Amino acid sequence: HACKGVTTGPGGDPFARMGLEFDVEGAFPDIMRFTHALETSRDFFVLRSLSFTPAESRTIAMHVSTDLYLKP
């Protein structure tokens, strides 16, 4: 039986997938550091989409859609 949101990983190990969507706002260098931290995290993230929009007082807003894979 296949469970919704559960994927079989290498060696048949099951991974639970958690879909996440969230917004962050800050100065451009801070947003880039945050994005880099996601990409280089020890946790396994699949970045589905990143979208940027100007925000108030010289900041930028970023919408993130990602999947996080965890061992149950």
Side-chain angles (χ1 to χ4, degrees), residues 2 8-9 16 18 27 30-31 41 55-56 59 62 65:
T8 302
M18 180 186 303
D30 296 331
I31 295 291
S41 171
E56 296 181 20
T59 61
M62 177 176 69
S65 176

Side-chain angles (χ1 to χ4, degrees), residues 13-53:
D13 294 332
F15 289 91
R17 180 181 60 85
M18 180 186 303
L20 303 169
E21 285 199 26
F22 55 90
D23 298 303
V24 292
E25 184 177 327
F28 185 76
D30 296 331
I31 295 291
M32 290 298 95
R33 276 191 288 279
F34 176 78
T35 304
H36 179 70
L38 282 178
E39 292 174 330
T40 59
S41 171
R42 298 185 98 184
D43 296 317
F44 185 60
F45 286 94
V46 174
L47 295 173
R48 300 250 175 239
S49 69
L50 300 174
S51 58
F52 299 91
T53 55

